[in-house]
Amino acid sequence: MALPRAAYLANLLQSFITKRSLRPGKAVHAQIFSAGLSADTFLSNRLIELYSHCEALSYATKVFHSIPHPNVFSWNAIISACSKADDLEFAHQLFDQMPDKNVVSWNTMISALARGGLERKALDFYYMMIEEGLLPTNFTFASVLSACRNLMALEDGRQCHGLAVKVGLDENLFVENALLGMYTKCGSVSDAFEIFDGMARPNEVSFTAMMGGLVQSGSAEEAARLFGKMHRNGIPIDPVAISSILGACARAEDEESALLNQNSRLYGILVGRSIQALSIKYGFESGSHVGNSLIDLYAKHGDMNEAEGVFNSLPGVNVVSWNILIAGYGQRGDSKKAINMLKLMQQSGFEPDEVTYISLLAACVKSGDIAAAREMFDKIASPNVTSWNAILSGYCQEESYQKAIELFRKMQFQNVQPDRTTLAVILSSCSGIVFPEFGKQVHAASIRAMLHNDMFVASGLVDMYSKCGHIKEARQVFDRMPERDVVNWNSMISGFALHSFNREAFTFFKQMRENGMSPTEFSYASVITSCARLSSLPQGRQIHAQIVKDGYDHNIYVGSALIDMYAKCGDVNVARQFFDSMPMKNIVSWNEMIHGYAQNGCGEKAVELFEYMLSTEEKPNSVTFIAVLTACSHSGMVDGCMKYLDSMGKEHGIKPMADHYTCVIDCLGRAGRLKEAEMIIDQMPCKDDPIVWEVLLSACAVHGNANLGKQAADQLFRLDPQNSSPYVLLANIYAALGQWNDASAVRALMSERRVVKDRGYSWMDNKSGVHAFMVDDLGIVDGKDSAFGAMKIGKKDEHCTAW
């Protein structure tokens, strides 16, 4: 018996829908039209489905609008067509116009929104659906749980799980797998295990999801064991499962996975090789998905020869394959090899994508080739925040702080939202060039982004304000932090020490220990610096005892700080004993010891130690020469001073700077060889350094050289007109020579320019604390009859701010 015409045409449409055959489908559409069946709602619905499957949304829309009385299936069909075509706005409009909505209508919209990246809106639709009194299906839960997974919305996922239990769908395999995916992605592996262990018949999707969650949480060994169980239980193994477990083995070498030790890494590569053998057995090794996972495994374990071997064995590679190989060389910091791979990639006819350039960018930054990194960065059409962070970090690492700040400004203009890493890097750059004004702007940006309370960002703010001398602001940020780590405490202590708030540094060090924080080498180095600044030997010895107790006495930086402290406190013999006991020394340790001898008038010992250093593998730097030139100056070794100045450039390739010339001029000045000092000044490139002229002027005052003293004073009047020292020194020179008119003229000039002589003070440390003694307002400036008033350091007094 022949089928009715409508049923025959419907069957034809079904076959063309299955085959996605647009042209024959259009022919059937023409037959429907010629047979006068265009008003048939059922056939029209099938036509919408045909055009939807063939990605012809415009035809589907025309058919829908031609239906005289569309039913709920018609509405669902056109909404589904719009969703498949990614026209979510039109789908939403049609959904709002629907006279009657059923569960399928809601499921279609929720699924489309979740797939289209509008996960939050998908959740809103889900909650509206519940309010409408409709019961969700397994398809509803799958879409909603997918949205929760992508949003990392664990609490919403838990609520969805609860409703699935309530409606009896929690044991549906489709829902169970969606729950596994949600819990693993949200980091709740324990919940995922509970679901997995309760599953009656877990399939390959279940095992793969669980393995992926374990990999993400850093449990590579657990993932490998689960794969073994999957294999033993006879669960079909597909390329996705193989790739997942290979990812777990690769993760075992991931530097960011702090949970993994060396044994885990060895385990990872051994299991990876076993999985490679299994993939060969099943014939999966030639597939790009498994092949790329193998390349990634070997690349992450640093075996680039093996990685290239797999790469070359693949019958067909793709851009992903090239990117993994380039990223492998980038991980090793081999930027040259990574760039060569880029050239080979292009010669092979593959066009690099954004991932390629991001991998190259990371390679160049890691190898320190920031110029090449910037070139790669500029090739990224729309760099994301990770790419910005990489190049900004590169500039910061090479101390190109100004370039980092300029690039950050460009990032702002391109409306890329900074994250915690971005802000921390830029705050570090502001610290590096002491740029508190911009640091305050970054602080404001962190508040707008709600990141100012993030420990990483707050630590950067404390460090920036501390290093820039804004101690009050640093303290305010520190006090507002909801939680603090040792880095935050160290930033405050080093800030106090750096700006001579030595009492506060001690107080914070004590509070840090009382708060259960164990000091690090940075804590000890800072607080020892404060002891040195206060010349407080008793406190320094106490801290030294704690350092020994905590095992930091062999740390180079702490050791160098201890040498400096003992030397500044005058106990140079103990400083040398500690120096000799250090198992490892760097140039800072040598410099501190040489400078310690110089400070304490032991010039010959300083020179002897310097000569001994030259016989070792340690190379002197510019600071070393400042120390040895100072030693020569303080001990009257003029010829040695001149010899070392001459050797700087000739033997060591170090260009003398203003500080070196200052030491030499001081040495010549002390010896009364002012003519030679004048010749040195004429030859040196840095003539606008006021310290050089101050040293020369002091020497002229000692030796009564009015002519040269006048030249030095005139330079200082030009460079620093409000500094009282040159006026007083020049006036004293004239007075000592009996040139009273000239002395009066200098004092008149000082009065005319409103220059005020700074009052001097002395201080002492006893059992009751540190006391400072300052010249009283009634004291005679010339120093014949001065009354001294005592004040205790630590009180809130304008004279105590430096303390």
Side-chain angles (χ1 to χ4, degrees), residues 22 34 84 115-116 160 170 226 240 244 276 420 425 445 487 490 514 523 525 544 562 583 664 747 774 799:
L22 181 59
S34 61
K84 287 177 182 176
R115 288 197 320 270
C160 189
D170 56 312
L226 195 61
V240 176
S244 180
Q276 183 180 13
R420 62 201 295 261
V425 169
V487 176
N490 284 347
E514 289 172 352
S523 321
H544 188 177
L562 281 167
V664 174
R747 290 185 180 275
M774 187 169 288
H799 302 303

Side-chain angles (χ1 to χ4, degrees), residues 488-500:
N488 311 133
W489 285 94
N490 284 347
S491 294
M492 280 304 306
I493 294 168
S494 65
F496 284 132
L498 182 65
H499 296 284
S500 298

Side-chain angles (χ1 to χ4, degrees), residues 531 534-542 565-566 569-571 765:
C531 291
L534 288 172
S535 297
S536 180
L537 190 56
Q539 287 178 313
R541 285 174 174 160
Q542 288 179 26
M565 185 273 294
Y566 281 117
C569 292
D571 201 339
D765 186 5

Side-chain angles (χ1 to χ4, degrees), residues 364-412:
C364 295
V365 168
K366 192 164 187 176
S367 66
D369 190 352
I370 307 305
R374 182 59 187 268
E375 186 180 341
M376 296 304 159
F377 177 79
D378 289 338
K379 289 180 179 178
I380 303 173
S382 300
N384 59 16
V385 69
T386 304
S387 306
W388 285 98
N389 289 346
I391 188 64
L392 289 170
S393 298
Y395 279 131
C396 193
Q397 286 168 21
E398 71 161 13
E399 298 183 0
S400 296
Y401 302 122
Q402 191 61 49
K403 288 183 179 178
I405 289 171
E406 289 170 3
L407 194 62
F408 176 69
R409 285 191 173 117
K410 185 178 178 181
M411 176 184 176
Q412 298 295 95

